[in-house]
Short mmCIF file of all heavy atoms in Angstrom, two decimals:
data_model
loop_
_atom_site.label_atom_id
_atom_site.label_comp_id
_atom_site.label_asym_id
_atom_site.label_seq_id
_atom_site.Cartn_x
_atom_site.Cartn_y
_atom_site.Cartn_z
N ALA B 358 59.29 140.91 99.63
CA ALA B 358 59.48 141.86 100.68
C ALA B 358 60.90 142.40 100.80
O ALA B 358 61.20 143.47 101.08
CB ALA B 358 59.08 141.20 101.99
N VAL B 359 61.86 141.43 100.49
CA VAL B 359 63.26 141.79 100.62
C VAL B 359 63.68 142.69 99.48
O VAL B 359 64.41 143.69 99.67
CB VAL B 359 64.15 140.56 100.67
CG1 VAL B 359 65.61 140.91 100.61
CG2 VAL B 359 63.83 139.67 101.86
N VAL B 360 63.22 142.35 98.34
CA VAL B 360 63.72 143.05 97.15
C VAL B 360 63.38 144.59 97.15
O VAL B 360 64.09 145.36 96.60
CB VAL B 360 63.22 142.36 95.84
CG1 VAL B 360 61.91 142.93 95.35
CG2 VAL B 360 64.32 142.37 94.77
N LYS B 361 62.32 144.87 97.90
CA LYS B 361 61.93 146.30 98.02
C LYS B 361 63.03 147.12 98.69
O LYS B 361 63.15 148.32 98.51
CB LYS B 361 60.66 146.42 98.86
CG LYS B 361 59.41 146.18 98.02
CD LYS B 361 58.24 146.28 98.90
CE LYS B 361 57.08 145.40 98.40
NZ LYS B 361 56.18 145.01 99.44
N ASN B 362 63.79 146.44 99.54
CA ASN B 362 64.74 147.20 100.36
C ASN B 362 66.10 147.40 99.62
O ASN B 362 67.04 147.84 100.25
CB ASN B 362 65.01 146.45 101.68
CG ASN B 362 63.78 146.53 102.54
OD1 ASN B 362 63.34 147.67 102.79
ND2 ASN B 362 63.23 145.42 102.92
N VAL B 363 66.15 147.02 98.37
CA VAL B 363 67.40 147.02 97.69
C VAL B 363 67.93 148.49 97.60
O VAL B 363 69.09 148.73 97.51
CB VAL B 363 67.28 146.37 96.28
CG1 VAL B 363 66.57 147.24 95.26
CG2 VAL B 363 68.65 145.99 95.80
N ALA B 364 66.98 149.43 97.66
CA ALA B 364 67.37 150.86 97.49
C ALA B 364 67.65 151.50 98.84
O ALA B 364 67.79 152.67 98.94
CB ALA B 364 66.34 151.63 96.70
N SER B 365 67.64 150.64 99.88
CA SER B 365 67.79 151.26 101.25
C SER B 365 69.00 152.10 101.32
O SER B 365 70.05 151.85 100.66
CB SER B 365 67.82 150.10 102.24
OG SER B 365 68.27 150.62 103.49
N LYS B 366 68.92 153.11 102.18
CA LYS B 366 70.07 154.01 102.30
C LYS B 366 71.12 153.45 103.31
O LYS B 366 72.27 153.80 103.23
CB LYS B 366 69.60 155.39 102.80
CG LYS B 366 68.83 156.12 101.72
CD LYS B 366 69.30 157.59 101.68
CE LYS B 366 68.78 158.32 100.40
NZ LYS B 366 67.31 158.07 100.20
N ASN B 367 70.60 152.62 104.22
CA ASN B 367 71.46 151.97 105.21
C ASN B 367 72.30 150.98 104.47
O ASN B 367 71.85 150.00 103.86
CB ASN B 367 70.59 151.33 106.28
CG ASN B 367 71.49 150.71 107.36
OD1 ASN B 367 72.46 150.08 106.97
ND2 ASN B 367 71.13 150.94 108.57
N ILE B 368 73.58 151.14 104.58
CA ILE B 368 74.51 150.35 103.78
C ILE B 368 74.52 148.87 104.27
O ILE B 368 74.68 147.93 103.46
CB ILE B 368 75.89 151.00 103.75
CG1 ILE B 368 76.67 150.45 102.53
CG2 ILE B 368 76.64 150.68 104.99
CD1 ILE B 368 77.60 151.49 101.98
N GLU B 369 74.30 148.67 105.54
CA GLU B 369 74.34 147.28 105.98
C GLU B 369 73.08 146.53 105.45
O GLU B 369 73.20 145.37 105.00
CB GLU B 369 74.44 147.17 107.49
CG GLU B 369 74.71 145.74 107.94
CD GLU B 369 75.13 145.59 109.38
OE1 GLU B 369 74.99 146.56 110.12
OE2 GLU B 369 75.70 144.55 109.68
N ILE B 370 71.97 147.21 105.53
CA ILE B 370 70.74 146.54 105.00
C ILE B 370 70.96 146.24 103.53
O ILE B 370 70.74 145.12 103.04
CB ILE B 370 69.54 147.51 105.19
CG1 ILE B 370 69.22 147.71 106.64
CG2 ILE B 370 68.29 146.90 104.45
CD1 ILE B 370 68.02 148.59 106.88
N LYS B 371 71.54 147.22 102.85
CA LYS B 371 71.70 147.08 101.43
C LYS B 371 72.64 145.82 101.17
O LYS B 371 72.30 145.04 100.31
CB LYS B 371 72.48 148.32 100.91
CG LYS B 371 72.27 148.58 99.48
CD LYS B 371 72.89 149.97 99.20
CE LYS B 371 72.53 150.46 97.89
NZ LYS B 371 72.70 151.91 97.76
N LYS B 372 73.67 145.72 101.92
CA LYS B 372 74.57 144.60 101.73
C LYS B 372 73.90 143.21 101.94
O LYS B 372 74.04 142.32 101.20
CB LYS B 372 75.79 144.72 102.69
CG LYS B 372 76.81 145.65 102.19
CD LYS B 372 78.18 145.13 102.52
CE LYS B 372 79.17 145.85 101.65
NZ LYS B 372 80.52 145.77 102.10
N LEU B 373 73.10 143.27 103.01
CA LEU B 373 72.41 141.95 103.27
C LEU B 373 71.39 141.66 102.19
O LEU B 373 71.13 140.46 101.88
CB LEU B 373 71.76 142.02 104.67
CG LEU B 373 72.80 142.18 105.84
CD1 LEU B 373 72.12 142.33 107.17
CD2 LEU B 373 73.72 140.97 105.84
N VAL B 374 70.74 142.70 101.74
CA VAL B 374 69.81 142.44 100.64
C VAL B 374 70.55 141.92 99.44
O VAL B 374 70.09 141.01 98.78
CB VAL B 374 69.07 143.78 100.26
CG1 VAL B 374 68.18 143.51 98.99
CG2 VAL B 374 68.18 144.21 101.38
N TYR B 375 71.74 142.45 99.20
CA TYR B 375 72.58 141.92 98.10
C TYR B 375 72.80 140.44 98.31
O TYR B 375 72.66 139.63 97.33
CB TYR B 375 73.86 142.70 98.05
CG TYR B 375 73.77 144.06 97.43
CD1 TYR B 375 74.93 144.83 97.36
CD2 TYR B 375 72.60 144.58 96.99
CE1 TYR B 375 74.85 146.16 96.85
CE2 TYR B 375 72.51 145.89 96.47
CZ TYR B 375 73.64 146.63 96.44
OH TYR B 375 73.58 147.90 95.88
N VAL B 376 73.22 140.13 99.47
CA VAL B 376 73.52 138.70 99.82
C VAL B 376 72.28 137.83 99.43
O VAL B 376 72.34 136.80 98.78
CB VAL B 376 73.88 138.53 101.33
CG1 VAL B 376 73.87 137.05 101.64
CG2 VAL B 376 75.26 139.16 101.60
N TYR B 377 71.10 138.35 99.89
CA TYR B 377 69.90 137.63 99.64
C TYR B 377 69.58 137.48 98.17
O TYR B 377 69.24 136.38 97.69
CB TYR B 377 68.77 138.34 100.31
CG TYR B 377 67.40 137.61 100.28
CD1 TYR B 377 67.01 136.63 101.15
CD2 TYR B 377 66.56 137.88 99.17
CE1 TYR B 377 65.81 135.99 101.12
CE2 TYR B 377 65.37 137.21 99.09
CZ TYR B 377 65.01 136.26 100.00
OH TYR B 377 63.80 135.59 99.85
N LEU B 378 69.76 138.57 97.49
CA LEU B 378 69.44 138.60 96.01
C LEU B 378 70.31 137.58 95.31
O LEU B 378 69.79 136.84 94.47
CB LEU B 378 69.78 140.06 95.51
CG LEU B 378 68.57 140.98 95.31
CD1 LEU B 378 69.13 142.30 94.75
CD2 LEU B 378 67.57 140.37 94.40
N VAL B 379 71.53 137.66 95.59
CA VAL B 379 72.49 136.71 94.84
C VAL B 379 72.07 135.26 95.12
O VAL B 379 72.16 134.44 94.17
CB VAL B 379 73.95 136.97 95.32
CG1 VAL B 379 74.86 135.94 94.79
CG2 VAL B 379 74.36 138.41 94.92
N ARG B 380 71.56 135.02 96.29
CA ARG B 380 71.19 133.68 96.64
C ARG B 380 69.91 133.16 95.87
O ARG B 380 69.81 132.10 95.37
CB ARG B 380 71.04 133.53 98.11
CG ARG B 380 70.53 132.22 98.64
CD ARG B 380 71.47 131.12 98.47
NE ARG B 380 71.03 129.82 98.99
CZ ARG B 380 70.12 129.07 98.47
NH1 ARG B 380 69.57 129.49 97.36
NH2 ARG B 380 69.73 127.99 99.10
N TYR B 381 68.91 134.13 95.77
CA TYR B 381 67.61 133.67 95.32
C TYR B 381 67.18 134.20 93.97
O TYR B 381 66.13 133.76 93.47
CB TYR B 381 66.54 133.93 96.36
CG TYR B 381 66.64 133.04 97.59
CD1 TYR B 381 67.02 133.56 98.78
CD2 TYR B 381 66.33 131.70 97.45
CE1 TYR B 381 67.12 132.76 99.90
CE2 TYR B 381 66.47 130.86 98.51
CZ TYR B 381 66.81 131.38 99.76
OH TYR B 381 66.96 130.51 100.84
N ALA B 382 67.94 135.13 93.38
CA ALA B 382 67.50 135.79 92.13
C ALA B 382 67.19 134.71 91.07
O ALA B 382 66.30 134.87 90.27
CB ALA B 382 68.50 136.76 91.67
#
Side-chain angles (χ1 to χ4, degrees):
Chain B
V359 174
V360 92
K361 278 179 209 157
N362 289 307
V363 76
S365 167
K366 289 222 167 51
N367 181 315
I368 202 147
E369 190 165 17
I370 296 180
K371 206 173 191 160
K372 279 218 159 160
L373 295 176
V374 173
Y375 286 178
V376 169
Y377 183 89
L378 262 179
V379 172
R380 173 70 177 76
Y381 287 112

